[in-house]
Amino acid sequence: MAFIDLLPPQAAAQARHLEFFARTRVEGYLKGANASKLRGQSSDFLRHRQYQAGDDLRHLDWRVYARSDRLVTREFEEYTNLDVYLALDFSGSMAYPGTAISKLAFMRHCAALLAYALNLQRDRCGLVATTDRIVHFLKPAGGKKHLAELFRLLVTLEPAGETNVGRCVRHLLTQVRRKGVFLVFSDCYQEPDELTRALGTLRLQGHDVVLYQMHDRDEATLPFNGFTQFRDLETGQLDAADPLEIRAAYAAVCQEHLARLQAGCNRFGIEFHPLEAVPHWDRVMAQLLRERLRRP
Amino acid sequence: MTLLHPLALVGLIAALSPIVIYLLLRRRKTEIPWGASYLLRLTLTSKRKSSRWKQFVVLACRALILALVALLLAEAFRPNPASALLAPALPDGPVHRLLLYDDSASMAAVDAGQTSRLTRASAALEALLATQRAGDYATLLSLREGGLAPITLAGRVDSARSRELLDRLVPSEGAIDLHGPLATALSRLASTPGAQAELYLFSDFPRQLAAEVDHLPWFAAAAAQRGVRVVPVNLADPAAATAPNLVLDELTLGTDLVPQGLPLTLVVTATNHTDAPLATSIALLMDGQEWSSQPVNFQPNEQRRLPLPIAFAAAGPHLVTASVPVSRLPAYGTRSLSVQVTPRLQVWVVADTSEAAAAGGLADAEFLRRAAAPVGDQPAPIELTPVTWQEVSQPLPPEVDVVIVAGVPFAAAGAAEPLRAFVQRGGGLIFTLAPALQPGGYNEGFAALLPAALTTPAREEVEPATFGLLQGGGTRPFAPLFDDLAEERQGDLGDVRFYNYFRLAAPAPESAVLLRLGDDSPLLVHRALGRGQVYLWTSTLGVAWNSLAVRQSGQPLLYRLVTAAARGRVLPRNLVPGQRAVLPWPTAGRVEALQPDGILAQVVETAAWQETHVVSFVPAPIPGVHRLRGGGHEEAITVQRAPAEGDLRTVTAATAERLATALGAPLYAGWPAAVQALGAADAQRPLWPWLLLALLALYLFETWFVRQL
C-alpha cells in the first residue's frame, strides 16, 4: 500500500473537520484542548483548597479570607494536549482478504485518518504494533516528520503471528507513564475476558481506552458451502467443517463473543465499537468521532 | 424373505451410491485461509460437546434409512406371500394341531407336473408349523404302521427345528391305517383341554383304504364332541388313475438251486394298477446283461403271472432281474432273484428192478433212466444213480441231492432214519407209487417222511377209457417250477391221462397238495421236513397208471420235480425280511454288505464251519439286492417282499364320499384347495407400502433434524 492510498486527499480533507478529545484527564506536554490531570492557569475554576505554604498568592481567594478568616487557594483547570496511542493488531488473522477490503487495510486507513486528525489538533500520536507481543512501539509525538514515520510504519508493517492484545497491554504499562488515550484496533479473536481485563488495567491506570473490534462480513456470517478446510492465518492449523451445518452455531458464538467483549468493556468503562471492514472507512470513522463528541 | 437374490445386491449398491458420492465429496474439501479460527474452534468444540447425542440420532436415522432401503429392495424379490406361507388362518385362542401324515411308499409317487406327494405334505406341514404361535401345540403322527413315534411341539417352532423334523419323513414300506392314528390323535387332545383342536390328515388315500371306512363310524361323532376341525387333504392327483403303473408283485423260480442248462421258467407276477389297458414289455437281465424282453398287454386292474423262459449256462451264483419301464415307483418296477446254479444234480434212484415191475412195459426206473439220458453231446442236468434199499439204509453221502423211491413195492424200515436225516439236511425225497406197492409197509416205515398215509389204489383195474385229468387243466397253485408246463405252447401236462392212483389218508399238517386230479384227489403232495423237501407222486412214473411218460411234458416235469426237491441243498438266497442269510464263502475275513439303497450297512466276519467259511448275518429288511463283497469274491442275495402299496390311485369318488362322511369333513383336493376353503392366513401382507412410508418419514425427520443441529 502506498502513502497516497493510505490517506487519500478526500479523507485528509474530511479529517480537518474531525475532533478527538480525551474523555479522561490526561497528561500532556503542551497546552491543548484536553482536560489535564494537573491544575492549571485556565479561566475555568475548578475548586478551592487549603492554602499551603508556597502556593502562589495570586491564587489566594481574598474574599473567602475576608468572610471566614481562612486562607484558601483557588484552583483552575489545566488544558493540555493529548498523547494518543494507536494500538494496532498486526496478528495474522488481520490479513483475511475479506470480500471488499481486508481488516488490515481498514485498520491502516482508520489509523492514518486518526493520526492525521490528531496531528492537526496538535495532539501527540504514537503507534503500538502488536501481535502476541509488541512488534513495534513508536512513542507519541507531533509534527509532520513524526506523522510521516507513523505512516511509514503503517504501510510497511505486515501481519504475522497470533493475537494476544492483553499480553501486549501488560508490556505497555511498563512503558507508558503519562495518562493518555489508547485506541485499540483489533479483531479481538482471543479470550474476551482476558482482553478486557488487560484493557481494564489500562483504564484503571487512568488512560482512556477505546476498543475497535474489526471483523469481516464473512467472519460474521460464514457464507461458504460445502465441506471446507479453514486454514488458520495465525497458526496454519486446519479445521474441517461443513459451514451449512455449523452456520447457526457459529453465528451464536460470534454474538456471544461480542456480547462478552461488550460486557467486559462496560465493566471497565472502555468504549467499545464493533466495526465491519468496509470500503467507506472514512465515513465510518467520521461517524464514530462525531458520536463520541455528542456523548456526554 | 431373503437378501440372497443377486439383483438385491445390485440394488443395495445403487442405494449406497449416494453415500459413496457424499463421502467422496467430503474428501474434496475447499481450503480457505481464515482469520476467525478462534471463533470457529469455539463453534466446533461447542457443537461436539452439545450435539453428540444428536449425532447419534442422525447416525441411527441414516443407518435405519439404509436398512429400510435394503428391506425395500428385498421385498421386491420376496416370494409371493400366498405361496410362501400357505396355511389356514389361526383361531384367536390357543390351538392344538394334530398333523397326521402318510409316509408310506406310495407318497413317493410324483404326479404329473408336481413334486412327490410327501414333499407336498412336508411343505404343508412346514407352513403349519411356521404359523404356530406361543401357546399353540402341534402333534405329528404317522399313519404308517412302524412310522415315527408321535412328536408334540409346544409354542413357536423355528424353521431349523421344523426342517429337521420334516427331513426325517421319508417314504417307507408299510401299510397305512386310519383307525389307530385317529384314535391316538384324539387321545392327545386330552393334554390340552383349553385349546381349540384342528386335525390335518395328509395322505394320498389309496384305494386299499376303502376297507378302513367301515372302521370309522365313531370318529365323526368323537371329533364333533371335542370340537375338532378336521381337514383331510388328498395329495394324490385323481387324474393319475389312468397313468401307466405296472407293478412287479413277485419274481420267482421256485428254487434257489437250479441245474446248469436246464430250461426253466421264471414266473413274474405283475399287476396293472391303472384304469386303462396297458401295453409294455418286461425286460429280463442276467447278471446285469440283457437276457430277454417280452411284450405284454394288460387289461385295466389285471394281475397276471407271466412265465419267462430262462436257462443258466454257467454254474455259480447268478442274479436275475426283471424290470418294467412303466412303474410309477421305480422300486416297484424292478425285482431280482439270486440263483445258485449247479453243474448237475446227483439223484439216487431206488427202483424195483424185478421182472414183475416191468410186466406190461418198462419199469419206472427205465423211464427215469431214459428221461435223464443226455441228448447228443449235451449232458443231462441230472445224473441218476441206481441204488438199493441197502445203500439208502446207510448215511447218504453229501453229494447226493435227491433220492427217488420209484415204485418200490416194499419199504425198508432201515432206510427211514437215514432218509429222514438226509432230508433234514436239505436233501430231496420223491416217492412215486406203483400198482404192486404195499401201502402198509410205507405207512409204517416212512410215517415220518410221507406227506400223507397211503390207502388203496383208486381203481381195481386200469381201464383205458376211464381216466382223470389234472384239475382245471392247469397247475395252479403249483410250484412256479411247473407253471409253464400247463401252457399250451410249452407242454401238455393238462392232457396227461391218469388211469389210476393211490388214495391218500388225511395229509400231515405241514403237507400241501400241489396238484389234484379232476375228482379232487391229490396227485402231488409236498411236505417240508427240516431244510429238505418230500414229494409224493400218487401215480406211477411209468406208463402203468398214466400217460405222462409218453407226453412232452413228462421229462420237463421230472426235471422240475427233481429241481424242486433239491432246492433245500442250497442255503436260501432269496430271503424274506428278517430272515438270516447264511452263505458259504471262499475266503476268511471281512465281508461288506451293500444295501439296495446304496448304504454300506454291515461288515461281517466270516466264520469257519467244518473247514468252510460261512457268512451269516441278517440283512436289513429292505427289498432288493444286497451285494456281499469280500476277499475278492462277490455274491448277491435278495430280500423279497411284495409291494405294500403298488396301487398309487386314490380312492374312488364313492369311497371319498364315504370317507368324508366318516371323517365329518370333505376331502380337499390338495393343500392349496384346503387353505382356500379354510381361509388363508394373511401373516405375510405385502410390506413395501409400509417400508416406503417409513423410509419417507425417516428421511424427512432426518433432514429436519440435521437442520436443527
Side-chain angles (χ1 to χ4, degrees), chain B residues 365-375 380-382 384 554-555 558-559:
Chain B
E366 182 57 21
F367 278 103
L368 271 174
R369 189 189 64 77
R370 293 186 181 188
V375 179
I382 60 176
L384 295 179
Q555 189 196 40
L558 176 65
Y559 282 178

Side-chain angles (χ1 to χ4, degrees), chain A residues 227 229 231-233 239, chain B residues 26 30-32 34 41:
Chain A
F227 283 98
Q229 291 267 34
R231 181 167 53 78
D232 191 345
L233 286 168
D239 294 297
Chain B
R26 192 184 171 99
T30 309
E31 186 173 311
I32 292 176
W34 190 243
R41 284 187 206 118

Side-chain angles (χ1 to χ4, degrees), chain B residues 230-248:
Chain B
V230 181
V231 185
V233 181
N234 189 353
L235 296 163
D237 181 7
T242 55
N245 182 26
L246 187 64
V247 174
L248 299 183

